[in-house]
Amino acid sequence: MSGGLMRRYPICLWLTVLGSIIAVLSVFLMPCFVVRAQGERVVMVEARAGLPFSIHFIHSVQKTPVLENLEINDEKDGFNLLSTKYQSFGVGLPFLAEEGDFREEGDYYIFDHMDRHFRTLSLRTGVGTKLTLTVDGREYRLYERYAPGTRIDLSIVPFYRALLGC
């Protein structure tokens, strides 16, 4: 009886080692939503399909608030712009009917169902723009932390790259 156990022991050991390697690899390959600025990681959360986040800023020309609502796409390799809310028409703001469902709500113009897709996003802090990011219910006032002109990169990368800063 003990001879049978001895012959199976190496197989059990190899299966345990193989299972452990697969588990570690799955964690290191897990997609993460990462926000970086000046080489530092500002945000790192698991990239879950449909995870909402928003970008809020003061338009640099119009000097009015803009709110962009996005989510992580189903493939967990990019972002979908869902809607934009703003107070005045201006450079870089949507205004064409084919860009989404347009409506006015009080003092705001809202575009819903925009269906714009991005692999990555690069933003910049600006003088008076108050660039703020809300991710997973947490607010990041990037304008308080970084000087005007600082590049802010949003991307989805495997966990190991998020850790290494790649």
Side-chain angles (χ1 to χ4, degrees), residues 66-163:
V66 178
L67 175 66
E68 295 180 328
N69 295 300
L70 300 99
E71 70 179 5
I72 294 175
N73 67 16
D74 290 339
E75 295 78 25
K76 297 183 271 187
D77 64 358
F79 313 110
N80 298 325
L81 175 60
L82 304 173
S83 67
T84 300
K85 180 178 180 179
Y86 55 93
Q87 281 189 319
S88 59
F89 291 106
V91 176
L93 295 171
F95 65 92
L96 299 173
E98 60 268 13
E99 292 187 90
D101 297 332
F102 179 79
R103 72 180 192 279
E104 287 185 59
E105 195 173 280
D107 292 339
Y108 287 90
Y109 300 107
I110 298 173
F111 260 100
D112 282 322
H113 308 105
M114 294 187 69
D115 199 35
R116 286 191 194 173
H117 310 284
F118 304 92
R119 276 293 221 209
T120 61
L121 291 168
S122 289
L123 314 170
R124 292 221 183 251
T125 55
V127 175
T129 60
K130 295 188 177 184
L131 179 60
T132 303
L133 187 64
T134 303
V135 179
D136 213 16
R138 193 155 172 223
E139 185 177 90
Y140 299 88
R141 295 179 182 186
L142 302 170
Y143 69 97
E144 290 179 350
R145 199 165 164 184
Y146 301 101
T150 302
R151 184 172 145 172
I152 312 291
D153 293 310
L154 290 71
S155 60
I156 296 178
V157 298
F159 180 60
Y160 77 90
R161 287 189 57 201
L163 288 177

